[in-house]
Amino acid sequence: MTQQQWTAVDEYLEQALVGEDAALTAALATSERAGLPQIAVSPTQGKLLHLLALTAGARRILEVGALGGYSAIWLARALPADGRLISLEISPAHAAVARANLHEAGLEKVAEVRTGRAVDSLAELVDDGAEPFDLVFIDADKPSNPEYFGWALRLTRPGSLIIVDNVVRRGAVADAESTDSAVIGVRRLNELVAAEPRVEATAVQTVGSKGYDGFMLIRVMS
């Protein structure tokens, strides 16, 4: 199949199973006008995150990498009224767009965007004794994935889910000789996850309007 076919199938699935959503459409438009890179998850991927959060009965969600808040909207909508989503974003400009989009979606009471280096924000959460998160979505700089996973383990509990996006890298993840820092980061993540007795995990390749990539699903067991 070609990229054109992948995109056509995604568009069909979006129409059949996701539907139109004014807040999400507006969030993408606002992000584009602000000059943010068009790398948010697709609508079908966003709904998958939403359904996983619902299935997990998540009350507390942590997102590493807010961008314009598109995935945060999907995740925050899965929370109960007393739930909480904390999204981390290194760029103040991106964080401002994410906050505005979450506000427009009516989610400002359950969702918070914190600005700064994610590793610093994660360390602060640990130092502050944050209540464990039920779901962690990691979608930030790939070379830091091993560090993010380590912090996520410290901020979750048995039964929590950790989801890591963009782990296939258009197939480059299978190249042990790659010098790409993103690929190296993902491969190191795989090694850490495989060696970690407290988790079980798998990864799935995906194709669609966002191209060829994949995600990792990790369940904290103990």
Side-chain angles (χ1 to χ4, degrees):
M1 293 182 70
T2 65
Q3 177 65 57
Q4 184 177 12
Q5 290 171 303
W6 296 344
T7 300
V9 171
D10 246 8
E11 290 174 350
Y12 162 71
L13 293 174
E14 289 165 20
Q15 293 171 5
L17 300 175
V18 180
E20 294 293 327
D21 187 293
L24 289 166
T25 299
L28 291 176
T30 299
S31 298
E32 185 174 4
R33 287 195 300 272
L36 273 62
Q38 303 302 294
I39 55 174
V41 299
S42 69
T44 52
Q45 292 166 344
K47 190 164 187 180
L48 175 61
L49 291 173
H50 177 79
L51 292 174
L52 287 170
L54 284 174
T55 302
R59 286 185 52 255
R60 287 176 55 79
I61 297 175
L62 174 64
E63 179 181 53
V64 183
L67 193 61
Y70 182 79
S71 54
I73 293 173
W74 276 111
L75 289 166
R77 283 178 170 178
L79 290 169
D82 63 346
R84 191 69 178 164
L85 178 143
I86 296 176
S87 186
L88 310 180
E89 175 57 50
I90 192 171
S91 166
H94 293 181
V97 173
R99 291 187 189 103
N101 283 332
L102 286 162
H103 176 79
E104 289 301 314
L107 295 165
E108 69 275 8
K109 291 184 179 179
V110 296
E112 170 190 359
V113 181
R114 298 188 181 185
T115 307
R117 294 176 67 245
V119 289
D120 296 334
S121 297
L122 291 165
E124 289 173 5
L125 285 168
V126 170
D127 290 343
D128 291 343
E131 182 182 343
F133 291 91
D134 306 300
L135 185 148
V136 178
F137 179 47
I138 300 173
D139 188 14
D141 62 304
K142 310 314 168 187
S144 297
N145 273 346
E147 290 180 88
Y148 297 150
F149 170 64
W151 286 110
L153 268 184
R154 298 180 66 178
L155 288 162
T156 49
R157 55 166 180 78
S160 294
L161 295 179
I162 302 171
I163 305 162
V164 188
D165 202 10
N166 307 128
V167 298
V168 172
R169 315 303 304 167
R170 297 182 181 271
V173 71
D175 181 7
E177 305 303 318
S178 176
T179 58
D180 184 310
S181 61
V183 173
I184 293 170
V186 172
R187 287 180 64 90
R188 178 58 181 150
L189 170 67
N190 291 338
E191 293 167 1
L192 290 174
V193 170
E196 175 53 66
R198 292 172 291 174
V199 305
E200 290 288 347
T202 190
V204 176
Q205 299 181 78
T206 60
V207 296
S209 58
K210 298 295 181 177
Y212 170 36
D213 213 315
F215 66 92
M216 180 182 292
L217 180 64
I218 305 164
R219 188 175 194 270
V220 180
M221 306 299 290
S222 62

